[in-house]
Amino acid sequence: MIERILGIDPGLRVTGYGVIEYAAGKTRVIEAGVVAPQTGASLEVRLRELHTGITRVVVSTRPDVIVIEELYSTYRNPLTAIMMGHARGVLCLAGAQAEIPVATLAHSRVKRALVGSGAGRKEQVNRMVAQLLGFAKPLEPDDVSDALALALAYCNVREHDRRLPAELRHVL
């Protein structure tokens, strides 16, 4: 069965997205890019632009699942966490409006799934994404690489979970 996964790296300045198809251990990129709301606009306008942009991606690519990075608790500035929460909220809303399941993965789990360590560096993840998807060099901007990493990690985690006994699934 072919599954289409939309990975989203949320942000209010730049949100990266990447859509892959996954079947029988093979992946291919369908589309990748960024949604970049106006930086000088009010929060409400930027959230509307983010929602509109990701909704267009959802409509045009028709994913089976959306994977968004979880908020993490080590933000130096609590306001950053709150702003990220706003961005994630409109992204989740876009999935809900399209009746597409939304999954979340912690950035450490993404790193562990792709490079074997939750403490892997961003450059390592980017190189692994490029290698797994057949690109000659790392992807730019990092927001796109991070979004594709989410989609790839989701595939990796799902495959691993399917091999586990039911009582051990989602314990990783």
Side-chain angles (χ1 to χ4, degrees):
M1 179 177 111
I2 297 175
E3 187 171 27
R4 197 171 269 206
I5 300 108
L6 167 57
I8 302 175
D9 180 38
L12 278 174
R13 288 191 181 117
V14 176
T15 290
Y17 70 89
V19 182
I20 63 170
E21 279 188 346
Y22 178 80
K26 296 185 191 282
T27 56
R28 75 179 183 105
V29 176
I30 301 302
E31 182 179 327
V34 296
V35 176
Q38 300 173 52
T39 54
S42 68
L43 174 63
E44 297 81 10
V45 169
R46 289 171 27 215
L47 291 171
R48 183 188 66 215
E49 290 175 358
L50 179 57
H51 182 268
T52 300
I54 213 65
T55 297
R56 286 184 183 137
V57 171
V58 168
V59 168
S60 69
T61 63
R62 300 180 327 267
D64 298 304
V65 65
I66 296 171
V67 185
I68 301 174
E69 185 175 80
E70 286 181 4
L71 285 175
Y72 49 93
S73 61
T74 58
Y75 288 102
R76 289 187 187 128
N77 182 349
L79 184 58
T80 301
I82 292 168
M83 299 304 276
M84 289 301 295
H86 290 313
R88 288 184 80 252
V90 299
L91 297 168
C92 290
L93 174 62
Q97 288 176 324
E99 298 182 357
I100 297 170
V102 176
T104 60
L105 287 174
H107 72 281
S108 60
R109 190 153 189 209
V110 172
K111 291 176 181 181
R112 194 167 45 251
L114 294 180
V115 298
S117 169
R121 293 186 335 271
K122 190 178 266 298
E123 300 82 24
Q124 289 174 296
V125 173
N126 194 332
R127 282 194 307 272
M128 182 58 73
V129 168
Q131 181 180 348
L132 290 170
L133 295 174
F135 292 103
K137 60 182 184 171
L139 302 166
E140 292 181 18
D142 285 338
D143 309 281
V144 171
S145 174
D146 291 348
L148 288 167
L150 281 155
L152 289 166
Y154 176 82
C155 295
N156 183 310
V157 169
R158 286 276 304 264
E159 280 300 310
H160 187 270
D161 284 356
R162 286 180 184 143
R163 293 183 187 123
L164 290 173
E167 65 273 10
L168 295 178
R169 291 184 186 153
H170 303 291
V171 174
L172 302 175

